Amino acid sequence: MADWHEILATIPIFSFLGRADIDAVKDLFVEEVQQKGDVICRQGDEGDKFYIVLDGELEVLASDGQQQRLAATLKRGDFFGEMALLQGGKRTATVQATRRVRLVWLDRTSFNSLFLKNPRALEYFTRVLCKRLAATSKGEVARGSTLTIAVGAKPGLKGKTIVASSLAGILHDITGADVLLVRVHPSEVGAEGDVATLLSDAPVLDPLVFAHLVKEEGKGVAAVDIPARIDRTAAFYSVQASNLISKLSDLFPFMVFDLAAEPLALFDAIPEFSDIFVEIVDAPVAAPKPPAPGTEQAPVTSKRYHVINLFNSKSRPISISHCEPFVLPKDAALGSLSHGTSYIRSNPTTAAALPLQRLARKVLGATVGVALGGGAAFGIAHLGVLKVLERHGVYIDLLAGCSQGSIIGVGYAAGVGTGEMIEMALSLGKKANSLLAVDLTLTKPGILAGNRFINIFAPLLGNKTTFEDLVMPCRTVATDIQSGERVAIGTGSLTAAFRASASVPMVFAPVKRGERVLVDGGVTDPVPAEVVNGMGADLCIAVNVVPPLKLGVENVLSRSIRQMSRFNPMTWIEDTQGLPNMFDIIMNSMQILQYELGNFKAISADVLINPELSDFTWVEYYRSDELIQRGEEAAERAMPAIQRALGQKLAPWMKRAS
């Protein structure tokens, strides 16, 4: 064991003991090493040992009989097990290693002889206990000192370096925390000098002694180069990585490992030292099958995310309809730049940056999804909401839309700017264009065939035709009119997807998709917050643009039909004067349904936005500028709630940055 005085000098509880006291008891300590995932002690066990953490990290898990929660995180210099020894009870929590950890422990007799006769040590135990109780009562949890992310690819696959360096930069941009990029490359001889010390078990009192090894890589990002001997085992690499993390964790809340493709044993070591593994793959990877009934599932020691880099020759586009996997497109600008990371950080909304931005927020548990509800002309207000989110720097990672919301959602996911969509809405909203979508049909079950509807909005998408062409995940929501099921569409033709989602019953003919007959998604799910959450969003913003009916509000079409009906003698014979027309009956029925059901369906959202549109009607596209303004006003009112919800997601990481 290394020099006791150097090790114990950094642990507060031993500041009450002199050198002679430590020399007298050093033979009482027992050292042990535990690997990531190992359980040191379990709640309810007999407490017979006092543990001190020399290196590594552990989590304290407390159970109330129904669920287990993270109560605290322990690292170098912390201790545990003292309460069971002082009070003579059982363990009150389970302690588990979250990465390789070195511990020393004392049995009950040695603990009593060392601490029970020392008033200052007992006072220190009391202060620590009070701090723990206070943190628990406030709901505070000490997160791990460092989040470690390994990025790697099997031989022959490109992309790991751009993903690792970009991820490091974006993590700093989001949290303000310092990030260390660890570049690991194969070597015949391995580490030497201070680098070897950094990777060894040798204690280091001052991590700043390694400052000369760390080079500035960019704003908020430092880098260190580590050679890896090509003839070592996974256990060897695990120990070295764990030692590096332990020594530099006080300086860097985040560490991103850019791992060489060789040696392959590096990959086997990843679960032992990394919290998250980002792997470059050439095709989607199936989720692991659940264990068979009666069998015990192997513990998951790290999260895993996959990136498909379309620059790799064997990689093919996939439908972008879920938060994962993350598809890095063939961005022409990125392919021609030698400094890809700086391009991605300074252009966060470009095609290449969007999946990496989403990956970084997924790592932090803060991806943002938006559910855009249906509502014909009311849906134009969505553009005002999107405009405000962009103005306040709230990046959208994925969308799901219903009816008019599906058109705007698909356009946004295809990379069409909000400003461009607003210009198009204002142009199409002119009264002169009010009949552009009218194509009457006598052969289909609807008044309008819907072909002109597609012709109007298809140009919005440019050369984007399928879900494979999208730059961010999106789905449209329709209803199977034969089974009553909600159908979330995330593959195939984009125009067919939003056409099905916007097929108002009796107005537009339904759409045949496979064996299903689809109509407007507003029949089953007018505000698809559940779909957004199912796509992998960590925070959901739902927008229900459909207002409650307001007596006396009448659109120009209804007014014209009512006036013309005065000259229809049949209305006098049948005494139908004063009754609404068929269009109003259909659309008012849909409006009542979508307002009430939409707010109910949005209950799973973190924030619900309801623009005040009760003095508008479903057909008033010619009032687009007013509708957009109402959307902006509603989003501004909701912005404090959105920022609060997002702040709660990021709070653990922002605290580490401070």
Side-chain angles (χ1 to χ4, degrees):
M1 191 175 292
D3 187 346
W4 271 102
H5 301 288
E6 289 187 2
I7 295 175
L8 300 184
T10 63
I11 301 176
I13 187 62
F14 289 99
S15 63
F16 308 116
L17 301 176
R19 188 182 184 95
D21 297 319
I22 294 175
D23 286 338
V25 300
K26 65 181 182 181
D27 291 336
L28 301 177
F29 287 92
V30 178
E31 183 179 17
E32 66 180 48
V33 175
Q34 300 286 353
Q35 303 301 324
K36 183 178 180 180
D38 290 347
V39 174
I40 314 306
C41 59
R42 297 185 183 277
Q43 185 172 340
D45 288 351
E46 194 69 31
D48 57 357
K49 292 178 182 178
F50 170 67
Y51 289 91
I52 302 164
V53 184
L54 298 183
D55 272 315
E57 194 173 283
L58 309 101
E59 58 185 12
V60 181
L61 304 169
S63 173
D64 58 6
Q66 296 182 338
Q67 61 180 1
Q68 199 173 57
R69 62 179 178 83
L70 178 62
T73 298
L74 305 175
K75 55 183 180 178
R76 178 183 175 85
D78 291 330
F79 53 82
F80 61 96
E82 77 286 353
M83 292 310 302
L85 295 177
L86 291 171
Q87 296 180 339
K90 296 183 180 296
R91 301 287 189 195
T92 58
T94 297
V95 180
Q96 184 174 5
T98 54
R99 66 180 92 260
R100 179 179 179 272
V101 62
R102 286 197 304 143
L103 306 163
V104 291
W105 55 265
L106 292 170
D107 60 22
R108 183 186 299 274
T109 301
S110 301
F111 176 84
N112 291 343
S113 64
L114 187 59
F115 294 115
L116 288 189
K117 295 181 181 180
N118 190 320
R120 295 179 65 192
L122 293 175
E123 180 186 356
Y124 182 77
F125 282 133
T126 303
R127 290 203 308 269
V128 171
L129 175 61
C130 290
K131 288 178 65 176
R132 290 176 182 172
L133 292 175
T136 301
S137 65
K138 294 178 181 178
E140 297 176 356
V141 174
R143 293 279 182 162
S145 57
T146 295
L147 182 72
T148 58
I149 305 159
V151 181
K154 295 295 176 61
L157 293 180
K158 308 172 185 176
K160 67 177 185 62
T161 296
I162 188 68
V163 170
S165 56
S166 297
L167 183 58
I170 297 170
L171 288 173
H172 169 78
D173 295 339
I174 295 174
T175 67
D178 290 331
V179 183
L180 179 65
L181 178 63
V182 184
R183 293 185 292 235
V184 183
H185 56 86
S187 169
E188 294 286 345
V189 296
E192 298 176 340
D194 285 341
V195 176
T197 304
L198 179 64
L199 303 177
S200 72
D201 283 335
V204 177
L205 301 182
D206 184 3
L208 293 177
V209 300
F210 299 117
H212 69 283
L213 299 177
V214 178
K215 309 299 182 184
E216 183 178 352
E217 184 74 6
K219 183 181 178 182
V221 179
V224 60
D225 292 292
I226 301 296
R229 285 197 58 162
I230 60 176
D231 57 348
R232 294 300 192 230
T233 64
F236 174 81
Y237 299 126
S238 171
V239 170
Q240 288 203 327
S242 297
N243 288 335
L244 181 149
I245 295 167
S246 180
K247 289 185 173 72
L248 298 181
S249 61
D250 289 338
L251 297 177
F252 299 100
F254 298 97
M255 293 186 190
V256 180
F257 286 75
D258 178 2
L259 299 179
E262 300 282 356
L264 291 177
L266 270 173
F267 277 76
D268 298 330
I270 288 172
E272 298 301 324
F273 70 85
S274 179
D275 301 308
I276 295 171
F277 177 31
V278 178
E279 184 179 7
I280 312 298
V281 296
D282 55 6
V285 178
K289 294 182 179 180
T295 62
E296 186 175 347
Q297 187 173 14
V300 178
T301 54
S302 61
K303 294 181 181 178
R304 184 181 290 248
Y305 299 120
H306 296 108
V307 175
I308 298 175
N309 180 15
L310 296 184
F311 281 96
N312 287 313
S313 59
K314 293 184 179 180
S315 296
R316 297 290 180 267
I318 65 170
S319 294
I320 312 295
S321 58
H322 194 279
C323 186
E324 304 173 46
F326 305 87
V327 180
L328 193 61
K330 286 186 176 181
D331 188 311
L334 180 61
S336 62
L337 291 173
S338 57
H339 302 289
T341 300
S342 59
Y343 169 74
I344 286 173
R345 293 181 69 180
S346 57
N347 298 275
T349 59
T350 55
L354 285 171
L356 297 177
Q357 289 275 346
R358 188 170 78 251
L359 172 60
R361 281 188 285 276
K362 193 61 184 175
V363 165
L364 300 173
T367 52
V368 176
V370 177
L372 301 175
F378 299 125
I380 300 300
H382 288 310
L383 296 174
V385 173
L386 296 177
K387 183 178 178 181
V388 169
L389 292 178
E390 291 178 353
R391 181 190 304 156
H392 287 271
V394 178
Y395 290 104
I396 298 172
D397 295 301
L398 51 92
L399 308 98
C402 170
S403 196
Q404 183 68 47
S406 73
I407 299 170
I408 293 174
V410 166
Y412 197 87
V416 182
T418 303
E420 186 178 346
M421 284 195 283
I422 289 175
E423 289 180 7
M424 187 174 184
L426 295 176
S427 174
L428 292 175
K430 296 176 181 178
K431 289 188 178 182
N433 296 325
S434 58
L435 298 179
L436 286 177
V438 175
D439 54 350
L440 300 175
T441 179
L442 297 176
T443 60
K444 297 181 179 180
I447 298 172
L448 304 178
N451 297 325
R452 288 190 180 178
F453 180 80
I454 289 180
N455 294 337
I456 289 172
F457 292 104
L460 176 72
L461 303 177
N463 61 353
K464 307 289 197 305
T465 59
T466 71
F467 281 84
E468 295 177 353
D469 300 323
L470 297 180
V471 297
M472 67 174 64
C474 181
R475 293 190 184 185
T476 70
V477 173
T479 300
D480 186 333
I481 198 61
Q482 295 177 308
S483 68
E485 295 176 275
R486 178 186 69 194
V487 179
I489 303 172
T491 60
S493 165
L494 295 174
T495 54
F498 71 66
R499 167 69 178 83
S501 181
S503 296
V504 179
M506 295 182 65
V507 177
F508 285 106
V511 173
K512 193 83 161 51
R513 183 180 172 91
E515 298 300 316
R516 295 183 180 274
V517 178
L518 304 180
V519 299
D520 196 302
V523 175
T524 52
D525 196 353
V527 184
E530 292 177 355
V531 175
V532 166
N533 290 324
M535 291 169 66
D538 298 302
L539 186 151
C540 175
I541 301 170
V543 189
N544 186 5
V545 293
V546 176
L549 284 176
K550 186 176 181 180
L551 188 63
V553 175
E554 188 178 38
N555 63 63
V556 64
L557 179 61
S558 301
R559 186 161 52 250
S560 299
I561 294 175
R562 178 172 51 80
Q563 292 172 349
M564 291 173 60
S565 67
R566 295 178 182 178
F567 303 100
N568 182 0
M570 299 302 294
T571 62
W572 297 96
I573 295 173
E574 296 294 334
D575 192 25
T576 58
Q577 281 290 323
L579 294 180
N581 62 73
M582 183 177 64
F583 270 108
D584 280 348
I585 292 174
I586 295 172
M587 298 308 297
N588 286 359
S589 298
M590 288 290 291
Q591 185 171 336
I592 295 169
L593 168 70
Q594 291 193 19
Y595 172 71
E596 298 292 347
L597 182 59
N599 285 342
F600 174 75
K601 284 291 188 177
I603 198 169
S604 63
D606 296 276
V607 179
L608 173 61
I609 300 176
N610 285 113
E612 176 47 61
L613 304 176
S614 57
D615 50 347
F616 294 81
T617 64
W618 60 273
V619 76
E620 294 177 315
Y621 284 95
Y622 52 84
R623 299 176 67 184
S624 291
D625 54 345
E626 298 174 73
L627 290 163
I628 293 168
Q629 179 62 34
R630 294 292 182 90
E632 288 188 59
E633 294 169 357
E636 288 288 359
R637 289 193 298 270
M639 191 51 60
I642 294 171
Q643 292 173 331
R644 182 166 56 251
L646 189 56
Q648 289 173 349
K649 297 289 185 183
L650 292 173
W653 317 106
M654 304 299 285
K655 288 179 181 178
R656 292 200 215 177
S658 60

